[in-house]
Amino acid sequence: MRLILLGAPGAGKGTQATRLAKRYAVPHISTGDILREAIKQGSQLGARANCYVREGKLVPDKLILELIRERLGRGDCKRGFIMDGFPRTIRQAEGLNHLLEAVNKRINAAVSIEADQNSLVKRLSARRVCSSCGRNYNLLTYPPKQQGICDLCGGGLIQREDDKEETIINRIRVYDKETVPLKDFYRSKGVLKEVDGRGSVKEVFQRIVDSLNNRLSEGGG
Ligand code: AP5
C-alpha cells in the first residue's frame, strides 16, 4: 500500500496514519515528526527547519525532498508507506512521482480528510503530545487518564509550539494556498478520495478503509 494522506492541520492525518500503518503493515512517514525530532536532537536538519516549523511556514521543498529520498531508500518502505504531511506542494508531489517512477512504482491512493476550520482550531488548541513517546491526546476528545501524564509510558504531556491559535491560523492559510492544489493534481491522476473527517476516530478510520477498498477494486492496486 502506497498511500498519501492529505488534510488541513488538525484534520486527523497523524491519528489515522498510525492506525492505517498497523492495518496495512507499512511504515507511517510523517515529515512533521521527522522535523520535530531533528529539532529536538539539534541536528543540522533541525537547525535549518526550526524557524519555518515554529512559525507554521513550509520548510523548503529541496530539504524535504532530500529527507524523503533518504527515507524511501530504507528497506521497510519496500512494501509501501503511509505518508502523513507529505507532499505539501506541487513540487514535492512531482518529486515523489519521480522517485517512485525510478523504481517502477506508483501511488495507490491519495486520501484527503475533510474538516471545517472551526473544528480544526478547536482540536489543535486542545492537542497534547507525549514528550517521550510522541502519543497524541486531546483534552476535549481523547484526554489522558491522569492529567498531564501519558497513559502508555508515563511521560509528560506538552503542547506543540505551533499549536498556538495565531500559528494554527497561519498553518491553515498555508495549507489552503500550497497544499489544496494537490487535490486537483491527484484527481487528475484518478487516485484522489475525499473522506469526511467529522465523527469519532473510529468512524473516520472506517471511512478511509472503505474508500481504499473502493479504490483498490477500481484497479488501483
Ligand atoms: P505536521 O506535523 O505535518 O503538522 P500538520 O500538517 O499541521 O498536521 P497536524 O499534525 O497538526 O495535524 P493532523 O492532521 O496530523 O491531526 P492529528 O491527527 O494530530 O507539520 C508541522 C510543520 O512541519 C509544518 O507547519 C511545516 O513547518 C513542517 N512540515 C512538515 N511537513 C512538511 C512538508 N512536507 N513540507 C514543508 N514543511 C513541512 O489530530 C489533531 C488533534 O485532533 C489531536 O489532538 C487528535 O487527538 C484529535 N483528533 C484527531 N482525529 C479526531 C477525531 N476524529 N475526533 C476528535 N478528535 C480528533
Side-chain angles (χ1 to χ4, degrees):
M1 169 66 71
R2 284 175 296 280
L3 169 66
I4 289 168
L5 286 183
L6 298 172
K13 302 180 295 298
T15 303
Q16 297 299 336
T18 306
R19 286 158 178 79
L20 290 163
K22 276 195 195 127
R23 171 72 161 244
Y24 295 103
V26 290
H28 166 194
I29 301 179
S30 158
T31 39
D33 285 348
I34 296 172
L35 294 170
R36 276 184 293 280
E37 185 57 28
I39 292 168
K40 199 166 141 192
Q41 301 294 333
S43 70
Q44 208 185 11
L45 168 66
R48 286 165 75 190
N50 194 6
C51 59
Y52 298 100
V53 175
R54 218 176 33 217
E55 291 176 24
K57 294 180 183 160
L58 292 187
V59 173
D61 290 334
K62 193 165 175 282
L63 203 62
I64 297 289
L65 284 166
E66 276 168 26
L67 180 163
I68 287 293
R69 179 180 295 115
E70 188 278 325
R71 184 64 189 85
L72 286 182
R74 295 198 210 157
D76 63 342
C77 290
K78 283 215 172 79
R79 293 194 58 229
F81 49 74
I82 311 287
M83 287 288 178
D84 157 17
F86 173 87
R88 261 174 146 99
T89 63
I90 295 286
R91 198 167 153 220
Q92 291 182 16
E94 287 170 346
L96 176 62
N97 270 0
H98 288 144
L99 288 173
L100 292 176
E101 275 165 18
V103 287
N104 259 328
K105 304 269 190 232
R106 61 196 167 92
I107 293 299
N108 299 112
V111 171
S112 176
I113 306 176
E114 304 292 327
D116 63 279
Q117 179 158 337
N118 278 348
S119 53
L120 297 174
V121 177
K122 226 179 182 174
R123 275 185 190 176
L124 289 179
S125 309
R127 171 167 58 188
R128 296 294 180 273
V129 183
C130 175
S131 57
S132 180
C133 72
R135 189 179 201 209
N136 251 313
Y137 293 88
N138 193 286
L139 300 182
L140 302 173
T141 50
Y142 296 97
K145 291 192 182 98
Q146 209 185 328
Q147 198 188 338
I149 307 285
C150 177
D151 296 349
L152 283 186
C153 74
L157 303 189
I158 53 164
Q159 183 168 32
R160 262 171 54 174
E161 215 187 323
D162 59 351
D163 277 349
K164 293 177 197 121
E165 190 163 335
E166 62 189 63
T167 316
I168 294 172
I169 303 284
N170 192 36
R171 285 160 60 204
I172 295 173
R173 225 179 272 136
V174 170
Y175 178 79
D176 287 340
K177 181 165 178 268
E178 303 285 348
T179 311
V180 167
L182 288 187
K183 290 209 271 177
D184 280 340
F185 179 90
Y186 286 115
R187 191 177 284 118
S188 73
K189 297 190 181 304
V191 296
L192 183 79
K193 291 281 176 189
E194 289 171 290
V195 164
D196 185 353
R198 290 172 300 182
S200 70
V201 169
K202 212 171 147 191
E203 285 166 336
V204 178
F205 178 76
Q206 198 50 53
R207 278 182 213 131
I208 296 176
V209 171
D210 290 346
S211 77
L212 289 174
N213 287 340
N214 283 340
R215 170 79 200 110
L216 296 177
S217 66
E218 287 162 7

